[in-house]
């Protein structure tokens, strides 16, 4: 019984640290296929315009 309580306390104490480690900002690395570029407004890859 004591082991179960100690393990539960450890897990509950560690949960906030795991949450912070996941992702600190909303910016993620994005790679697009050749011939396309990342559009930040739509958060998708779009075909690159050539002139």
């Amino acid at each position: 019984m004591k082991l179960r309580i100690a393990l539960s306390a450890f897990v509950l104490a560690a949960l906030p640290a795991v949450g912070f480690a996941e992702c600190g900002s909303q910016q993620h690395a994005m790679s697009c296929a050749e011939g396309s570029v990342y559009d930040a407004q739509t958060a998708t890859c779009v075909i690159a315009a050539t002139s």
Side-chain angles (χ1 to χ4, degrees):
M1 186 71 166
K2 288 182 183 181
L3 177 61
R4 190 179 303 177
I5 293 172
L7 186 58
S8 297
F10 174 75
V11 169
L12 289 175
L15 281 177
V18 173
F20 285 118
E22 284 296 319
C23 195
S25 80
Q26 294 298 322
Q27 294 180 350
H28 300 283
M30 180 73 179
S31 59
C32 297
E34 188 174 332
S36 60
V37 294
Y38 182 73
D39 182 8
Q41 289 181 333
T42 61
T44 60
C45 292
V46 294
I47 297 174
T50 57
S51 52

